[in-house]
Amino acid sequence: MFLYRFILIILISCISFSINAQNNKDKNKHEKEFKGIRYQLQTTKKERKKALSITDSSIVELSMSIYNSTDSLLRSTKNEDFPLILDLRDSTTRQIPIVEIMMNEGKIGDSLTLFIHSDSVFQNGQIRPIFIPKGSSLRHEIKILTNYTAQQYAAKLEAMQQKYMEEMAKKQEEQQKQQKMDEKSKVQNQMDYLENTYFVEKGITNFQKTESGLYYVINQQGTPIQKGKTIKVHYEGTLLSGQKFDSSFDRNDPIEFPIGVGRVIQGWDEGIPLIGTGGKGTLYIPSHLAYGERGAGNDIPPNATLVFRVEVLD
């Protein structure tokens, strides 16, 4: 799960080491070179005297900042949610050139500066960002922070896993909240359009509205319908544009279904009983009470408000 934290280091392991990192004439007298990587220990001998050496059984946590040739910060583990930890018990990890340098020269607490030639990183068709020009070097500032025992490392991984899961749950909750807000805003926009534009333009003033957002006009009030009762309904369905997508009148074949049990869209289950048996009216159904974001077939697009002229037959 945390392997993405090692992407850049793994990339560095693929460097063509025959390319020098910088012009040798600019080389600092305190610098050394290993497999085309120039590096320098920034920690004094006095500071390193009692420091713990790094071995093939070490598990070390690093901080790392990467800069381009103009000293612009490209990445810093200080700004990331999870630490950068290298398990040197893994032979593959030990083959990474930066790790080899740390094992050969480094101790816990050391700071190192490394220069890696960008041309060695961006090869074999890899896309080079414009802020890393050809011929330039990438400067890595590395601090070796901590050495973990196997038990400490296992506890650290467990804590990281827990934190990751908590952050993912929080992110999912935030996304769900945002989705609900977006859906609520979308529904409100549809309702506002119906009330403030559509009905005004059509001259419809006798509409009524339910708490759910269903609008309806009753032209002929029918009698109450009991939930679950099978009824027959003639209907004509159109979009707000007036485009017809279905009509039982045209087929002379009314639809038959039990009311209020989810066999039809929510706008019908709620709206048909308001009109009643023997009644006539029009239902104006926002998308959340109709087919929502999925739409229906080729004729009803996503998020469509639907208009149904209905007759509830005896």
Side-chain angles (χ1 to χ4, degrees):
M1 180 180 66
F2 301 105
L3 288 179
Y4 69 94
R5 297 290 167 188
F6 301 95
I7 288 176
L8 187 55
I9 288 183
I10 292 173
L11 178 62
I12 290 169
S13 71
C14 300
I15 292 175
S16 175
F17 303 121
S18 62
I19 303 178
N20 203 326
Q22 201 76 299
N23 292 329
N24 286 329
K25 65 179 181 180
D26 297 329
K27 192 171 181 178
N28 187 294
K29 65 178 181 178
H30 298 295
E31 287 181 352
K32 299 180 181 180
E33 185 174 324
F34 179 78
K35 293 185 176 180
I37 300 176
R38 284 171 43 223
Y39 69 95
Q40 179 181 347
L41 285 170
Q42 302 294 351
T43 317
T44 64
K45 291 182 178 179
K46 184 178 180 180
E47 291 174 313
R48 308 180 74 234
K49 190 173 182 180
K50 296 182 179 180
L52 182 67
S53 297
I54 298 173
T55 69
D56 58 8
S57 62
S58 298
I59 304 170
V60 295
E61 178 179 336
L62 312 176
S63 69
M64 180 171 65
S65 297
I66 304 173
Y67 300 84
N68 66 6
S69 57
T70 61
D71 283 334
S72 295
L73 180 64
L74 305 182
R75 175 193 175 188
S76 175
T77 57
K78 296 177 183 178
N79 303 326
E80 298 176 356
D81 296 329
F82 298 96
L84 179 58
I85 300 176
L86 296 178
D87 186 351
L88 303 186
R89 297 172 301 178
D90 179 7
S91 60
T92 302
T93 302
R94 295 198 301 269
Q95 294 174 18
I96 299 172
I98 287 180
V99 176
E100 289 187 83
I101 291 172
M102 288 192 298
M103 293 185 67
N104 292 336
E105 300 277 359
K107 291 187 174 184
I108 303 302
D110 275 347
S111 296
L112 299 94
T113 298
L114 304 99
F115 293 93
I116 298 173
H117 203 290
S118 66
D119 293 354
S120 300
V121 178
F122 299 99
Q123 55 183 334
N124 300 323
Q126 295 181 52
I127 299 176
R128 176 189 290 272
I130 60 173
F131 48 82
I132 304 179
K134 289 184 177 180
S136 66
S137 291
L138 299 173
R139 176 167 59 89
H140 292 59
E141 298 291 348
I142 293 177
K143 175 79 172 179
I144 307 172
L145 300 174
T146 308
N147 182 65
Y148 292 104
T149 64
Q151 293 77 12
Q152 290 172 331
Y153 181 51
K156 185 76 172 179
L157 284 181
E158 184 177 354
M160 290 167 62
Q161 174 80 12
Q162 181 64 30
K163 182 179 179 181
Y164 176 81
M165 296 300 293
E166 289 173 356
E167 290 186 359
M168 290 300 99
K170 183 178 179 181
K171 183 176 181 181
Q172 185 176 20
E173 183 180 354
E174 291 174 351
Q175 289 175 339
Q176 290 173 345
K177 286 181 179 179
Q178 185 60 49
Q179 184 177 1
K180 288 181 180 179
M181 289 176 62
D182 293 343
E183 290 174 355
K184 185 176 181 180
S185 176
K186 191 180 299 179
V187 169
Q188 189 60 52
N189 288 340
Q190 291 183 0
M191 294 168 63
D192 289 344
Y193 178 79
L194 279 172
E195 287 195 35
N196 302 323
T197 302
Y198 183 83
F199 290 149
V200 172
E201 291 177 352
K202 298 293 184 181
I204 300 171
T205 58
N206 59 335
F207 64 87
Q208 300 180 69
K209 181 174 71 172
T210 69
E211 187 175 345
S212 69
L214 172 70
Y215 292 83
Y216 64 101
V217 172
I218 296 178
N219 303 116
Q220 178 178 307
Q221 182 65 64
T223 58
I225 304 174
Q226 187 176 3
K227 181 178 179 180
K229 180 182 178 181
T230 298
I231 59 173
K232 290 184 178 182
V233 177
H234 257 315
Y235 67 92
E236 178 182 83
T238 66
L239 305 178
L240 288 181
S241 63
Q243 180 180 340
K244 185 182 351 181
F245 56 81
D246 195 11
S247 173
S248 68
F249 292 108
D250 294 347
R251 297 189 301 271
N252 193 27
D253 183 20
I255 186 173
E256 185 174 345
F257 61 93
I259 192 68
V261 295
R263 290 284 296 277
V264 290
I265 60 175
Q266 185 178 342
W268 270 44
D269 266 342
E270 183 180 358
I272 297 299
L274 296 173
I275 296 173
T277 301
K280 299 179 181 180
T282 304
L283 304 176
Y284 302 90
I285 307 177
S287 62
H288 71 291
L289 300 175
Y291 296 100
E293 294 185 353
R294 70 182 185 277
N298 297 322
D299 298 321
I300 299 177
N303 303 309
T305 298
L306 306 181
V307 180
F308 286 96
R309 177 171 62 88
V310 299
E311 294 182 9
V312 186
L313 305 179
D314 293 328

